[in-house]
Every structure is written in structure tokens, then in C-alpha cells.
Amino acid sequence: MGILEKIKDIEEEMNRTQKNKATEYHLGILKAKLAKLRTQLLEPTGKSSSTGEGFDVKRYGNARVALIGFPSVGKSTLLSTVTETQSEQAAYEFTTLTCIPGIIHYKDTKIQLLDLPGIIEGAASGLGRGRQVIAVAKSADLIMIILDPSKEQHRTILESELETVGIRLNKRPPQIYFRIKSSGGVVHSSRVPLTKMGPEPGKIIQQILHEYRMHNAELVFHEDASVDDLIDVIEGNRKYVKCLYVYNKIDMLTIEEVDELARRPYSIVISCNLQLNLDRLLEKIWEMLALVRVYTKKRGDAPDFNEPLVLTAGRNGVTIEAACLQIHKDLIQDFKYALVWGQSTKYNPQHCGLQHQLCDEDVLQIAKKTAEEQRHEKNYSERVQAFYDDYHEKKKKKKPLKS
């Protein structure tokens, strides 16, 4: 029996099983088996197996946004409207057959927008290039699900397909500490009562770990987690992504229907055909990406407001350390202190360290250690030797000039 058949059998058994306190233990074991099989399906270990790599699109700009939806919902029209890229548009389905990138220039930042081919039900199993589309979605900072408001079932199907491949929309990672040990058995503790795992949570935890052949582990629950949360932590390959639901073609709805859709969480209504509410869409993208612009300043000069450093919590964080790494990787070693002006400080300017959290439109001035201060450091000789070795290694690889 293949993996797909095993998955189908387990799903059918879960659908037949009534959900109550008496069956929570049985359902928890089935969920663990199902998650394990899906991981094997998506990430085969055989030499000849393919993992379904995504489209070869180079990351560009300060953030990446992926457009996902069924065919003919307006993804290509939206890309052509808000960027300078022209994506093929037509009245028939599957007009877009590959990934088409575009750039949104907004508030001194560059946001990469990816127009992906339309996916269909069963995309998680590989139908309709679904795995390639989902692989690109995993690398995005924000997923925009484009929906036709007349087909409400599309949202449920797309959420189910993304959930199947380990993408968690608008969720945060479970607050569970998990560590595999070499001995000592399974030890678990919780700071809150575990009400979502039935009357005997310890028994469920033991059996789920047994399914993964983990017999020595330590778990600490910092929240009232469910069986699904525990499985996500054990798997360790889940991707937590922000998601914005975009309802297109609102010019075909009544004002009452538009109002009801607009009030839903993480949702916005637009019309690409009439270019309605597109400015609010860009604002919503900016809010959900939570980009932080930091303007640099040299000592004695005015700040440079032309090209800011753009930081985001989803990548390297919004600390001064992240800003230093974006300027140059060696700047951390020579860092002495920073002067910061802006909303993140109590007074202007404020002396700050590497872990200071920056806010949008802060001004940053970095002070480096002097040569004398660097010579007094313990690892100074090691740094000099490493620089010397690196310099001569590059010199050897350099091709001689033609005579």
C-alpha cells in the first residue's frame, strides 16, 4: 500500500470517528500517523524521488509577497496594476504557467510580488504544479490569497491545502519547549492545565512520541496546547506565515455583501477591473509586513534620507545588530555604541547597544572602536591572523595578468 492510500485510509477513519473525550486519545494517535505520512510524501528520502522544488526566482527587494489562488481570480491583473510588470491576462483558466515577479515601490522600500500559477484542489499531492507553487509560498514573508467572492468554498480549500504541507496562516509557533535526550525517558511538565488533550494528556504525549520513535525527550508546555500543536513542534518543519485574504471583483456585489467581507479579520476588498481600494491594499501589505526603515547618519553630517536600511522581524529582527549586519558583517566586531534618534528612544539622541529595538524612521549613528581600543582586545591577534590568511588565500586564487 502506497503513502497516498495510507493517508486516505487514516483520513476516512478520522471522519468516521466521533469527537468526544473518549476518542481524543485515538484521534491524537491518528493525527500523529497522518502528519508523519504527509512529511514522507512531501520530503521523500529516496535517491530518485523529487521533493518538488519551487520556481527558480531570485529573491529581490526588502520583502517577498506571494499571490495564491484558483485560476482566473485576478492574480495577473493585480500584478500588472500595482507593479510595472505586465503579466499575461485572459478570460480562460491557467493563463499563467510559471512564476512572474514584479516590484512594488512603496515608502522607500521594494516589495517583490510573485504571480504564481493557479492551484486546484489536491495541489498538496502534486496536482497542477501545486508543489512548486507551495514551495515558493514557504519562502514568502506574506501570502496573499486572491478570492472570488462568489465562490466562498475556495478559501476553505486553499487553507486546507496550505495546512496539509505545513504552512500555518496567521498563527504563532506553539509555546512548547522540546528537546531530545540520550536517556532518562520522556519527562513533561506544564505551567498551565492541558485541557485540549483529554483527561490523560501524559498518555497521549507518550504515545505520540512513540509513533516518532522518540523514547527520551523533555517537554515543557507554556500554554494550553493541543495535539496538533505538539505534532507541529515534533515535526519541526512548519512555516508560520502572515496571510491577507483579498476579495477581488467586488464591483459585482451589493454594498451589504462588500461590507460583510471587509469586516472579516485579515481581509480586504478590491476591484482590479475598476481599480477600487488598491491604495488601501498597499497600506495593508505594508502593515502586515511590519517593515522598519532606519536612516543612517555620519558624525557631523545630516541623516541620509534617500536609501534607508529596511529591517523586518521575520528575517533578522529589527535590532541595531541586524542593521549592522546589513551594512557589513564585520561591523559587529568593531561596534562600540550607537546613537539613536526616533520613536524607539526615551530622549534624543540615546546611547544604545546591539540589542536595542528600532522603530520605523529611526535615525542611527554607529560609533566604532578606535585602533588602540581594538589592540587591547583579547582576540585581536587572532583577528589579525585570520585577516592575513584570508588576504593571502584570495591572492593565490587571483589569476595572473596576461603578458
Side-chain angles (χ1 to χ4, degrees), residues 1 31 69 101 126 135 150 158 174 208 254 257 278 327 356 374 402:
M1 184 182 291
K31 287 180 180 178
S150 63
L158 291 173
I208 290 175
T254 64
E257 293 172 329
L278 295 181
I327 296 171
H356 177 76
Q374 292 181 31
K402 292 182 179 179

Side-chain angles (χ1 to χ4, degrees), residues 194-378:
L194 299 178
T195 62
K196 298 179 181 178
M197 292 190 181
E200 298 181 3
K203 186 179 178 182
I204 294 180
I205 294 170
Q206 291 270 3
Q207 191 60 35
I208 290 175
L209 290 172
H210 180 71
E211 284 292 331
Y212 285 92
R213 298 182 180 179
M214 297 177 181
H215 308 291
N216 302 288
E218 180 185 0
L219 297 99
V220 181
F221 292 83
H222 297 278
E223 65 179 6
D224 187 11
S226 64
V227 171
D228 294 325
D229 295 332
L230 176 59
I231 293 172
D232 287 349
V233 172
I234 294 173
E235 286 283 348
N237 58 358
R238 304 309 191 221
K239 178 71 174 177
Y240 297 87
V241 188
K242 294 180 180 178
C243 178
L244 178 62
Y245 300 94
V246 181
Y247 290 92
N248 190 21
K249 306 178 183 179
I250 60 169
D251 48 303
M252 302 170 63
L253 304 177
T254 64
I255 191 64
E256 291 80 10
E257 293 172 329
V258 172
D259 182 66
E260 191 271 330
L261 293 174
R263 293 180 183 275
R264 295 182 180 181
Y266 307 107
S267 301
I268 191 170
V269 293
I270 65 167
S271 173
C272 293
N273 187 29
L274 300 181
Q275 298 190 7
L276 298 176
N277 211 28
L278 295 181
D279 52 347
R280 176 56 187 154
L281 174 63
L282 296 179
E283 290 180 14
K284 194 70 175 177
I285 293 173
W286 174 265
E287 291 174 7
M288 297 194 71
L289 287 173
L291 299 178
V292 173
R293 296 164 294 175
V294 178
Y295 299 97
T296 55
K297 175 187 181 300
K298 292 183 179 180
R299 184 177 179 181
D301 294 343
D304 181 14
F305 292 111
N306 293 322
E307 294 186 8
L309 301 174
V310 181
L311 310 175
T312 174
R315 295 192 181 182
N316 296 321
V318 293
T319 60
I320 292 177
E321 183 178 6
C324 292
L325 288 173
Q326 202 170 117
I327 296 171
H328 197 278
K329 62 179 181 179
D330 295 334
L331 188 57
I332 298 291
Q333 297 176 341
D334 301 333
F335 179 87
K336 186 176 182 181
Y337 65 88
L339 294 176
V340 182
W341 292 259
Q343 298 179 3
S344 66
T345 61
K346 296 180 180 179
Y347 48 86
N348 294 320
Q350 179 176 326
H351 279 248
C352 301
L354 287 172
Q355 300 307 314
H356 177 76
Q357 299 280 333
L358 297 168
C359 292
D360 191 32
E361 296 187 315
D362 277 0
V363 175
L364 176 66
Q365 177 182 319
I366 298 173
K368 294 174 62 179
K369 297 173 185 174
T370 62
E372 187 65 27
E373 289 173 331
Q374 292 181 31
R375 275 194 287 270
H376 284 85
E377 291 183 345
K378 292 182 179 179

Side-chain angles (χ1 to χ4, degrees), residues 146-165:
I146 313 301
L147 298 166
D148 186 339
S150 63
K151 301 175 182 178
E152 188 63 30
Q153 72 277 11
H154 282 184
R155 174 169 174 168
T156 305
I157 295 172
L158 291 173
E159 288 176 338
S160 175
E161 295 295 329
L162 295 175
E163 185 88 10
T164 300
V165 297

Side-chain angles (χ1 to χ4, degrees), residues 4-212:
L4 287 173
E5 288 78 8
K6 291 180 181 178
I7 290 175
K8 187 177 180 181
D9 290 345
I10 293 175
E11 288 177 342
E12 289 177 353
E13 186 176 351
M14 290 176 64
N15 292 331
R16 290 195 303 267
T17 305
Q18 294 183 356
K19 294 181 181 179
N20 51 55
K21 289 185 178 181
T23 60
E24 282 181 348
Y25 174 76
H26 179 63
L27 286 172
I29 305 306
L30 292 177
K31 287 180 180 178
K33 290 181 179 179
L34 186 61
K36 194 175 178 181
L37 289 171
R38 283 174 174 170
T39 301
Q40 294 175 8
L41 180 65
L42 296 172
E43 299 174 5
T45 56
K47 293 182 180 179
S48 62
S49 300
S50 173
T51 57
E53 295 181 356
F55 298 98
D56 187 15
V57 181
K58 183 179 179 181
R59 185 182 287 272
Y60 179 81
N62 307 119
R64 170 178 278 193
V65 179
L67 300 179
I68 290 182
F70 275 75
S72 298
V73 292
K75 300 186 298 298
S76 300
T77 306
L78 178 60
L79 179 79
S80 303
T81 304
V82 299
T83 70
E84 296 178 356
T85 304
Q86 293 300 315
S87 182
E88 186 179 354
Q89 309 160 34
Y92 52 86
E93 295 184 346
F94 297 104
T95 310
T96 304
L97 300 177
T98 186
C99 179
I100 301 176
I103 299 297
I104 300 175
H105 297 273
Y106 190 73
K107 292 186 177 181
D108 296 329
T109 63
K110 297 175 182 177
I111 302 172
Q112 186 181 43
L113 189 65
L114 302 180
D115 178 20
L116 297 169
I119 63 176
I120 57 177
E121 189 172 1
S125 302
L127 295 178
R129 307 189 76 179
R131 288 191 190 177
Q132 291 177 297
V133 173
I134 291 169
V136 175
K138 282 189 173 182
S139 68
D141 301 296
L142 173 68
I143 292 176
M144 285 173 53
I145 295 183
I146 313 301
L147 298 166
D148 186 339
S150 63
K151 301 175 182 178
E152 188 63 30
Q153 72 277 11
H154 282 184
R155 174 169 174 168
T156 305
I157 295 172
L158 291 173
E159 288 176 338
S160 175
E161 295 295 329
L162 295 175
E163 185 88 10
T164 300
V165 297
I167 297 178
R168 303 293 179 258
L169 303 178
N170 296 323
K171 294 181 180 178
R172 58 176 178 80
Q175 301 299 302
I176 303 174
Y177 171 77
F178 174 68
R179 181 173 69 91
I180 298 176
K181 303 187 299 182
S182 58
S183 61
V186 176
V187 179
H188 66 89
S189 60
S190 61
R191 298 189 176 184
V192 295
L194 299 178
T195 62
K196 298 179 181 178
M197 292 190 181
E200 298 181 3
K203 186 179 178 182
I204 294 180
I205 294 170
Q206 291 270 3
Q207 191 60 35
I208 290 175
L209 290 172
H210 180 71
E211 284 292 331
Y212 285 92

